[in-house]
Amino acid sequence: DTEVTQTPKHLVMGMTNKKSLKCEQHMGHRAMYWYKQKAKKPPELMFVYSYEKLSINESVPSRFSPECPNSSLLNLHLHALQPEDSALYLCASSPVQGSRTDTQYFGPGTRLTVL
Amino acid sequence: GQQLNQSPQSMFIQEGEDVSMNCTSSSIFNTWLWYKQDPGEGPVLLIALYKAGELTSNGRLTAQFGITRKDSFLNISASIPSDVGIYFCAGLFGEYGNKLVFGAGTILRVKS
């Protein structure tokens, strides 16, 4: 089973709202990732968690706040977003950070629209 | 930083034809991955390549990890309508091998 699940599938929010995106995997993977993907572009890395600790922040604005409550869950908290933050947000996981078998498996994404 | 040059940008082919796309880079990668993404969905892993020179098949798909570790190709044989989508190559790099950089993608359209 190589399934990563994400909720919600779609989210519409105003610039003053606070919302959260959720990601879950039950493959025993110890690295989890958030990506942002704009239309017709490849995914861009935002954050990497390894063994529930934040290991990479690709200079993402503080209005995006990641959280990894346990090895199966990854959240992305959103606050005071801008319309240009509208995108497909993808979660991914991989078995072991730093391993040559560190293949990343993606979830279906959350389509976010900021009004 | 690391960049992948993926070509062609798009393809429009007849059903039943073979398809080939490739990625090149000036950087060395330890792992090459090929993904397919349908509209509104996440990328789905097609093939993973871990060793220079490695040739791997997955059904009608075949991919190779270039011997210089700077390139990879993906072939699809006997294309069918459900092959439509965007194909991305991706390379793993970084101190801990956990940063994935993507090519710009190849849009595949199949004429039935």
Side-chain angles (χ1 to χ4, degrees), chain B residues 18-39:
Chain B
D18 296 344
V19 173
S20 186
M21 58 192 80
N22 69 84
C23 272
T24 61
S25 175
S26 58
S27 304
I28 289 174
F29 291 93
N30 289 324
T31 298
W32 284 88
L33 305 170
W34 284 92
Y35 292 91
K36 178 181 183 248
Q37 187 173 24
D38 292 326

Side-chain angles (χ1 to χ4, degrees), chain A residues 63-78:
Chain A
R63 56 186 184 269
F64 295 92
S65 175
E67 179 197 18
C68 190
N70 60 57
S71 60
S72 300
L73 292 174
L74 186 66
N75 298 321
L76 186 63
H77 302 298
L78 313 173

Side-chain angles (χ1 to χ4, degrees), chain B residues 51-64:
Chain B
K51 208 172 176 181
E54 181 181 356
L55 183 71
T56 298
S57 293
N58 178 7
R60 293 180 296 107
L61 277 58
T62 302
Q64 185 157 30

Side-chain angles (χ1 to χ4, degrees), chain A residues 9 33 35 37 40-43 45 48 55-56 58 88 90 97-109 111, chain B residues 30-31 33 35 37 40-45 48 50-52 65 86 88 92 96-100 102-105 107:
Chain A
K9 180 80 171 165
Y33 311 78
Y35 287 82
Q37 186 178 27
K40 300 188 189 305
K41 297 289 187 184
L45 183 65
V48 180
S55 62
I56 294 175
E58 291 285 278
L88 183 68
L90 295 163
Q97 179 184 1
S99 163
R100 294 189 71 195
T101 59
D102 202 21
T103 305
Q104 294 186 24
Y105 298 89
F106 285 81
R111 173 70 61 189
Chain B
N30 289 324
T31 298
L33 305 170
Y35 292 91
Q37 187 173 24
E41 299 293 330
V44 173
L45 181 68
Y50 303 114
K51 208 172 176 181
F65 192 152
I86 303 178
F88 289 104
L92 266 178
Y96 301 103
N98 57 357
K99 285 194 175 186
L100 200 57
F102 285 82
I107 301 171

